[in-house]
Amino acid sequence: MKASRFAAVGALAGTAVLALSAPAFAHVSVQPEGTAAKGGYAVVDFKVPNERDDASTTKLEVTFPTDHPLASVMPEAVPGWTAKVTKSTLDKPLEMHGKKITEAVTKVTWTADGKGIQPGFFQKFPVSVGTLPEDTDELVFKALQTYSNDEVVRWIEVPQEGQEEPENPAPVLALSAAEEGHHGSSSADKASDSDDAEAASAKTAAEPADSSDTTARVLGVVGIVVGALGVAYGVLAGRRRTEA
């Protein structure tokens, strides 16, 4: 009896823990595929779980930060969904690869072509983004999740350091330290490096050939001299025999 009571209490406690922890894992979130380094490019996944038992998720709207605009945003095609990219004019133009960018993506909207995300399932929406800013440690993406019953959940509350997570937290992308040489080298530099490498390779390949040619020439001269001495010796020896 005691064992049964302990088991029942343990089961109830476990259920309570799961019930309390479930909301922390059920919100819309964003994570990089690999790393999201400052100054570089990354592919990030917006993960959308379905929280309802009687409705499916049919739309996701993600607002991109305007305080750190991203010049390049390309969503990956997701089967069963249509993506719409919205651009807006920037208050302050960006510079990218020597060109001025006057507008940037401010929103991406995914709309289900069919049933959407069913209860008990989640969906990932990958997006290629860049270049990532170097003057911040994170990017905040506010999101709206729409269900088939027209309910809209607003994931727009920005988490604050040292405080409890809000009820509807916005997806936050943490940025890692800039990777060395993330800006890359210019085409001219690469061409120069390639020419230097080819020249060095040619020089290395030529050195053994020059050495071999010199050795062959020396041996040839020595052979000729030895041959001439042999002929002369033979002639002298023949004369001596004749005189004798």
Side-chain angles (χ1 to χ4, degrees):
M1 291 294 292
K2 290 183 178 180
S4 299
R5 289 177 181 175
F6 284 135
V9 172
L12 289 173
T15 303
V17 170
L18 289 175
L20 291 173
S21 61
F25 296 97
H27 56 74
V28 175
S29 60
V30 59
Q31 290 292 333
E33 294 183 6
T35 59
K38 297 177 182 180
Y41 286 79
V43 174
V44 299
D45 294 332
F46 291 96
K47 182 179 178 181
V48 183
N50 191 80
E51 297 183 295
R52 301 295 180 262
D53 296 328
D54 57 352
S56 59
T57 297
T58 56
K59 183 189 288 187
L60 173 69
E61 299 174 70
V62 176
T63 300
F64 283 67
T66 55
D67 54 342
H68 295 95
L70 301 171
S72 176
V73 176
M74 292 185 293
E76 181 178 325
V78 178
W81 294 80
T82 299
K84 179 183 177 182
V85 177
T86 301
K87 293 184 177 181
S88 300
T89 303
L90 299 174
D91 295 332
K92 183 179 179 181
L94 296 174
E95 280 199 16
M96 185 175 179
H97 303 304
K99 297 181 179 179
K100 283 190 176 182
I101 307 298
T102 58
E103 63 178 13
V105 173
T106 52
K107 181 188 292 187
V108 177
T109 303
W110 289 269
T111 304
D113 299 328
K115 295 181 179 180
I117 307 172
Q118 298 294 299
F121 290 86
F122 73 92
Q123 178 69 55
K124 287 183 179 181
F125 298 90
V127 182
S128 173
V129 296
T131 55
L132 296 173
E134 298 185 64
D135 57 350
T136 184
D137 295 326
E138 62 183 26
L139 293 177
V140 178
F141 300 86
K142 296 182 179 182
L144 301 181
Q145 182 179 9
T146 302
Y147 287 90
S148 56
N149 59 3
D150 294 331
E151 178 189 2
V152 178
V153 180
R154 301 168 63 84
W155 304 101
I156 62 174
E157 299 177 59
V158 181
Q160 301 297 326
E161 187 176 355
Q163 298 182 12
E164 293 184 0
E165 185 177 68
E167 184 177 355
N168 294 311
V172 177
L173 177 66
L175 304 181
S176 58
E179 298 177 356
E180 184 177 356
H182 63 78
H183 292 296
S185 55
S186 66
S187 299
D189 292 338
K190 292 180 180 179
S192 177
D193 293 342
S194 177
D195 292 342
D196 291 343
E198 290 180 2
S201 177
K203 181 179 180 181
T204 302
E207 287 178 351
D210 293 342
S211 178
S212 299
D213 290 344
T214 301
T215 302
R217 290 173 184 173
V218 171
L219 292 176
V221 173
V222 171
I224 293 173
V225 172
V226 171
L229 290 176
V231 171
Y233 178 79
V235 172
L236 291 175
R239 288 179 178 178
R240 288 176 181 176
R241 289 176 182 176
T242 302
E243 291 175 357

